[in-house]
């Protein structure tokens, strides 16, 4: 069965988030190579973990597009983690509301789309 418009949009949001994380990986690599890091092992670990996150988001995007349930659930968890990062950007000593909003908006949109896709899939199976 072909993906619905909601599933396509949810997959597109997840794919865009994966691309954004890959851009962060590139930024981290440039900082590492340019000597703009204090602790090299920690910087390398952060690069690896960020790359793993990008790969996970890409996998969720593909699976949502293919209507696989683990992609939707993993995507929802990822959106909640993104919202937690946005909350962290909005609070604390270096709080920046603009950055928090830029992080939170795709998280909220992705969360809403993934929940809608999950409800639609449940309705298609007759569970809802």
């Amino acid at each position: 069965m072909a993906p619905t418009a909601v599933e396509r949009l949810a997959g597109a949001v997840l794919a865009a988030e994966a691309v954004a994380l890959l851009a962060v990986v590139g930024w981290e690599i440039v900082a590492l190579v340019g000597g703009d890091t204090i602790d090299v092992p920690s910087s390398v670990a952060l690069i690896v973990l960020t790359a793993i996150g990008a790969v996970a988001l890409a996998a969720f995007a593909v699976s949502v597009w293919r209507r696989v349930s683990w992609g939707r659930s993993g995507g929802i968890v990822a959106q909640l983690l993104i919202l937690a990062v946005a909350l962290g950007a909005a609070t604390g000593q270096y709080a920046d509301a603009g950055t928090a909003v830029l992080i939170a908006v795709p998280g909220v949109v992705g969360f809403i789309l993934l929940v809608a896709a999950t409800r639609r899939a449940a309705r298609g199976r007759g569970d809802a």
Side-chain angles (χ1 to χ4, degrees):
M1 182 178 228
T4 64
V6 172
E7 290 165 329
R8 287 184 184 139
L9 287 171
V13 169
L14 287 167
E17 290 169 348
V19 170
L21 263 187
L22 286 176
V24 171
V25 169
W27 180 33
E28 291 170 345
I29 291 171
V30 168
L32 179 65
V33 172
D36 193 23
T37 58
I38 295 172
D39 187 25
V40 174
S42 293
S43 297
V44 171
L46 184 61
I47 290 168
V48 170
L49 290 173
T50 307
I52 290 169
V55 169
L57 282 170
F60 296 152
V62 170
S63 65
V64 166
W65 191 271
R66 291 182 178 173
R67 302 182 58 124
V68 179
S69 66
W70 66 263
R72 291 188 302 269
S73 59
I76 288 171
V77 170
Q79 301 316 297
L80 293 174
L81 291 172
I82 289 169
L83 292 173
V85 171
L87 178 63
T91 60
Q93 184 176 2
Y94 302 106
D96 183 12
T99 301
V101 169
L102 285 174
I103 295 169
V105 168
V108 169
V109 170
F111 181 80
I112 290 168
L113 289 170
L114 286 163
V115 168
T118 301
R119 290 181 54 87
R120 184 167 300 225
R123 202 172 321 136
R125 286 192 319 261
D127 292 345

